[in-house]
């Protein structure tokens, strides 16, 4: 029997809402014609997160640095990218890596590495 990955993603989002915390994904926007795009205001997108730990063996000083933060983000229609930023409380983080966990081809959650 095939898994209903959309239903599983919805369950994961519900659990993250229950035990995790909320944050705001800040997606850059642009105005003007394609040949002269200007930065516009960031588009705020509410997201649900759950903090995770980074194994010390993964911290190599280049791709993952001491002080980086790992979060699981619910897959609720928004796919995070390194062009976005994530605001948790009053701190804004760069998204260093955004990797989907998608065992059946449907994203269940995103594994994020963040840097202040």
């Amino acid at each position: 029997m095939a898994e209903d990955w959309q239903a599983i993603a919805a369950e994961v989002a519900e659990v993250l809402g229950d035990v995790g915390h909320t944050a705001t994904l800040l997606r850059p926007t642009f105005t003007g014609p394609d040949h002269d795009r200007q930065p516009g205001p960031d588009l705020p997108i509410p997201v649900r997160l759950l903090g995770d730990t980074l194994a010390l063996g993964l911290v190599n000083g280049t791709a993952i640095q001491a002080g980086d933060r790992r979060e699981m983000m619910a897959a609720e229609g928004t796919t995070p990218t390194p062009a976005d930023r994530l605001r948790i409380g009053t701190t804004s983080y760069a998204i260093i890596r955004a990797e989907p966990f998608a065992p059946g081809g449907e994203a269940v959650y995103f594994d994020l590495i963040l840097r202040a």
Side-chain angles (χ1 to χ4, degrees), residues 14-99:
E14 184 178 333
V15 169
L16 290 179
D18 291 344
V19 299
H21 55 97
T22 59
T24 304
L25 187 77
L26 302 171
R27 176 146 297 155
T29 64
F30 298 91
T31 62
D34 287 342
H35 67 276
D36 189 25
R37 293 176 25 140
Q38 300 297 316
D42 287 336
L43 174 65
I45 303 167
V47 295
R48 296 189 249 190
L49 304 172
L50 179 65
D52 199 356
T53 58
L54 279 167
L56 289 178
L58 294 177
V59 177
N60 63 13
T62 304
I64 299 176
Q65 299 176 2
D68 284 356
R69 182 173 180 157
R70 184 177 190 182
E71 297 278 345
M72 291 172 50
M73 184 182 113
E76 298 179 287
T78 299
T79 300
T81 73
D84 300 325
R85 294 189 63 78
L86 196 61
R87 186 174 56 225
I88 302 172
T90 59
T91 305
S92 180
Y93 294 90
I95 298 175
I96 303 304
R97 187 185 79 190
E99 187 173 316

Side-chain angles (χ1 to χ4, degrees), residues 4-17:
D4 183 352
W5 291 107
Q6 288 182 341
I8 292 170
E11 288 179 37
V12 169
E14 184 178 333
V15 169
L16 290 179

